[in-house]
Structures are given as C-alpha cells and as structure tokens.
Amino acid sequence: ANWLFNYAASRAQLAGMWRNVVTYLKPGGRLVGLKGNVGLEDHLRRDFRYGIKSTVIGKVDDGLKIHIEANTEPKIEFDGYSLEARLYEEVPVEMGMREVKHHVPTTEDLPDVAGEDMAFWRGFLDNPYCILGTAVKLA
C-alpha cells in the first residue's frame, strides 16, 4: 500500500480506504506500505536534498493539502494530504485493524553508504519525509 493514504483528504476518505483494506485482507493479514511522515513541519521546509520537496498549498478540515515534487527528469509532481497524526492511528483501529505501527528509519535501515558522508543522511533520519507503516487485520 505504498503512498496510498496521502490521497485521503478527510477522515471519511481515510476511513473508506481502511474499509477497503479490511474488506479484502484475510483475517490476520498484514498491510505494509510507505506513507508520508505526519511529523511534517520540518520536512516541508526542505529542498531537494533527498529528491522530494513538499509545499503546503491549503488547509482541509482534518489537516493540510500539500504539493509534492520529485527531483526527476521529466519532473514528477502531484498533490496529496497530510491529515492530523492521530487519524492515522485511530481510523485503522476503528475499521478493524490492530498493531498499527509506524516504523521510523534508523541508521541500520540505510543501504550500505560506505564512503558516504553520514551527515548527509542525518537530516533524513532526524525527520524522514516517509516512514513504513504496518497494521494487522483482526482475526
């Protein structure tokens, strides 16, 4: 479910996405996916250092509308949402999931960066723009 939940513009849309997950996931099944880090404040001010730049372009009832640009050729850009952090915890549980976890990357998760400057990666590790999320459907 990579980059799925950042398209929910409201609690109701997020609940609809999780309802679909619960409908089609086997009991005891695990959802795994990348998602935007809801601790967005600092990374919104970043440049393209890690290949992605985000800008707040509006507000919605449950959070922010953001514009995301990838430093690629050709340029890739799209709009998404960053809802209140508590919604990414509450809604999956309300829909029938458990063990909802957000896995923040550590130095052990980085690929082999021998010879690279770890100071470069420190900003990402301190406040990553994406994190791994997991949840298990009730059996």
Side-chain angles (χ1 to χ4, degrees):
N2 289 342
W3 304 109
L4 170 66
F5 301 111
N6 63 296
Y7 291 106
S10 66
R11 180 187 188 99
Q13 287 182 4
L14 186 61
M17 290 177 177
W18 278 106
R19 191 173 299 110
N20 283 336
V21 169
V22 170
T23 298
Y24 295 105
L25 194 63
K26 292 179 182 181
R30 180 179 308 273
L31 175 113
V32 177
L34 284 176
K35 61 188 241 27
N37 184 358
V38 295
L40 207 53
E41 295 305 317
D42 188 48
H43 104 233
L44 285 170
R45 291 187 285 272
R46 289 192 186 149
D47 55 20
F48 282 123
R49 173 184 264 194
Y50 304 112
I52 292 179
K53 181 171 85 172
S54 301
T55 308
V56 174
I57 58 173
K59 292 186 178 192
V60 294
D61 287 343
D62 297 314
L64 302 171
K65 183 173 185 179
I66 57 177
H67 183 73
I68 299 147
E69 299 174 68
N71 190 15
T72 59
E73 187 58 47
K75 187 176 187 176
I76 297 170
E77 57 187 319
F78 54 94
D79 293 342
Y81 300 89
S82 179
L83 302 180
E84 296 172 20
R86 66 180 176 76
L87 297 179
Y88 297 104
E89 302 285 336
E90 296 171 1
V91 172
V93 172
E94 291 169 5
M95 295 295 115
M97 301 296 284
R98 61 182 168 83
E99 297 180 36
V100 177
K101 297 178 183 174
H102 298 113
H103 308 273
V104 178
T106 66
T107 53
E108 291 80 35
D109 298 318
L110 289 177
D112 182 15
V113 291
E116 297 226 11
D117 182 5
M118 270 310 286
F120 174 83
W121 292 107
R122 181 56 41 207
F124 178 80
L125 292 172
D126 289 345
N127 192 9
Y129 65 81
C130 65
I131 58 176
L132 182 70
T134 61
V136 177
K137 181 178 175 179
L138 292 172

